[in-house]
Amino acid sequence: MLTPVGWGVAVASAVLYAVGAVLGYPEPVALAVGGFLAVVTAVLWTLPQPSLTVVREVTPDRVARGEPATGVLHVTNTGRVRRAGMRAYDACGGGRIAVRVPVLRPGRAETIRYTLPTDRRGEIPVGPLRLVRADPFGLARRVREYGEPRTLLVRPHTVALALLPSGRNHHLEGPTSDTAPAGTVTFHALREYVMGDDLRHIHWRSSARTGTLMVRQLVDASMPQTTVVVDTDAGVYADADDFELAVDAAASIAAGAARMNFPVRVLTADGPLVETRGGAHDVEELLDRLAGLSRTDGAHGAVEVARRVRAGGALVLLTGGRGEVSRTGALRRRFDRVVCVRVRPEAPGPNLPGVTLIEISDLAELRAAWKGATR
């Protein structure tokens, strides 16, 4: 309850009283008594607890990075005493926002609006409201909390991008590529059995004729999948802003494909993040999951993660380093289209056969370069 100033006055008063009592001087004793009375008065000033009801809203509760969001407080004085001069602070993320509370008459409700910060992605906890009541001299103060906390989800900022063609040739029964996603719909070819294949797909006549177990390769004749890999290694980005740009670009690419009802999967250096079939609901899920993505120290190589996933469709790698760009050439045979997006490069990246390299410093450059890549 006592502030540092209040503790200082209390200690000084105790010292003056002791000195005055020992030496027999009344002046220090009088000053000490005055100090004690000031501290006691300050404590009694801050002791009453205001009777308040606080209801919090966050509108909207999901926004893109940089878009406006508002905190709304509905404060009601449920007591019988007029309340004025209250200082309030609403917790927001790791900081706090000063909130001006107007004079509250008994039974009166007031609505207070204030702007929430949305410059960084992630889940931002908002609240509780901390009401600070202090005496005029700053000797004592009491902090009380009101209202249930809420969460503001700041998602990546995106731009509209077209679907990236996979470059696959189709026939009437579906894709003819060996890298088409495995499925149970369309027969594509016969191949040798490998450990883990479904025994129901063994083609016994061909196995008897060749002397080797042969299985029917069935593929999914649905639309090709877009695989987006985000390099989360902190060492490949110059700063946090570069990583934010990489996540924004990944969200734009993934959302563009899902919005056109194409399946999308998003991977990070730590493994799969989200996989969807495409559609408006999946766009929301993609943005929500990417909102919580963060950099990690010593993350596994993004290219190595892409090696372990199901082949086929288009692959887009988002990174800030030159090393991962150089290794994307090894993925060309596993995917029908490989695109590498490098954010704010210090020097031009390598030219790799079969890999489209896009180097950007903002989303406007990505949108312009993407038009050329999708033709």
Side-chain angles (χ1 to χ4, degrees):
M1 294 176 60
L2 290 182
T3 65
V5 176
W7 280 111
V9 171
V11 172
S13 299
V15 172
L16 287 173
Y17 186 86
V19 171
V22 171
L23 299 179
Y25 294 119
E27 291 82 0
V29 174
L31 290 175
V33 172
F36 283 131
L37 289 176
V39 172
V40 172
T41 302
V43 171
L44 294 176
W45 181 283
T46 59
L47 192 60
Q49 180 175 353
S51 298
L52 301 177
T53 299
V54 178
V55 177
R56 174 183 290 96
E57 297 178 8
V58 175
T59 58
D61 59 356
R62 283 175 168 82
V63 296
R65 186 168 62 90
E67 292 184 352
T70 303
V72 182
L73 291 173
H74 304 282
V75 184
T76 304
N77 183 4
T78 57
R80 298 180 179 181
V81 180
R82 177 176 176 270
R83 295 296 178 183
M86 294 183 294
R87 290 185 299 158
Y89 302 92
D90 209 14
C92 185
R96 63 179 189 173
I97 300 174
V99 179
R100 181 181 176 275
V101 180
V103 176
L104 296 175
R105 296 181 177 85
R108 186 71 178 270
E110 295 287 347
T111 298
I112 307 166
R113 301 177 184 272
Y114 53 94
T115 302
L116 299 174
T118 61
D119 55 331
R120 290 293 178 187
R121 284 181 305 105
E123 292 186 354
I124 301 178
V126 181
L129 180 74
R130 291 180 172 89
L131 188 65
V132 180
R133 182 174 174 82
D135 68 286
F137 299 102
L139 301 180
R141 68 176 180 180
R142 181 181 293 273
V143 180
R144 293 183 174 88
E145 296 184 350
Y146 296 88
E148 293 296 327
R150 292 290 183 266
T151 300
L152 170 64
L153 184 64
V154 180
R155 307 193 295 189
H157 179 66
T158 61
V159 293
L161 298 179
L163 176 71
L164 181 67
S166 66
R168 176 184 294 140
N169 295 324
H170 292 266
H171 57 65
L172 294 178
E173 293 185 353
T176 60
S177 170
D178 288 335
T179 60
T184 59
V185 180
T186 304
F187 172 77
H188 172 65
L190 290 173
R191 59 171 176 79
E192 292 187 7
Y193 172 85
V194 296
M195 188 66 67
D197 282 340
D198 192 337
L199 296 179
R200 293 173 298 178
H201 295 164
I202 295 178
H203 194 269
W204 295 107
R205 291 185 180 180
S206 298
S207 300
R209 186 172 61 252
T210 61
T212 304
L213 279 179
M214 303 293 292
V215 296
R216 294 185 297 271
Q217 182 180 355
L218 302 179
V219 297
D220 188 356
S222 62
M223 292 174 286
Q225 189 172 50
T226 299
T227 301
V228 179
V229 182
V230 184
D231 191 353
T232 55
D233 186 0
V236 304
Y237 299 98
D239 51 36
D241 290 336
D242 286 2
F243 180 69
E244 289 299 318
L245 177 57
V247 176
D248 289 349
S252 299
I253 295 166
R259 197 171 286 114
M260 298 185 68
N261 298 316
F262 276 74
V264 180
R265 59 184 171 190
V266 179
L267 314 172
T268 70
D270 295 324
L273 181 66
V274 60
E275 185 167 357
T276 67
R277 295 183 178 182
H281 180 270
D282 290 341
V283 172
E284 298 300 314
E285 181 181 359
L286 285 166
L287 296 178
D288 286 351
R289 296 297 296 274
L290 284 168
L293 192 60
S294 60
R295 294 182 295 172
T296 55
D297 294 326
H300 303 291
V303 172
E304 293 302 318
V305 174
R307 290 177 188 271
R308 297 193 294 266
V309 300
R310 186 174 66 250
L315 170 70
V316 183
L317 173 67
L318 287 301
T319 185
R322 182 184 175 91
E324 291 300 304
V325 176
S326 302
R327 287 188 283 271
T328 54
L331 302 174
R332 183 65 184 90
R333 292 185 177 181
R334 302 194 72 248
F335 297 90
D336 302 302
R337 185 79 178 270
V338 177
V339 176
C340 183
V341 179
R342 187 180 176 203
V343 300
R344 297 194 177 99
E346 296 181 356
N351 293 323
L352 301 175
V355 177
T356 301
L357 177 61
I358 298 176
E359 296 180 328
I360 62 172
S361 58
D362 53 40
L363 290 181
E365 292 185 2
L366 172 64
R367 182 163 46 190
W370 199 258
K371 292 180 180 179
T374 55
R375 290 176 181 173

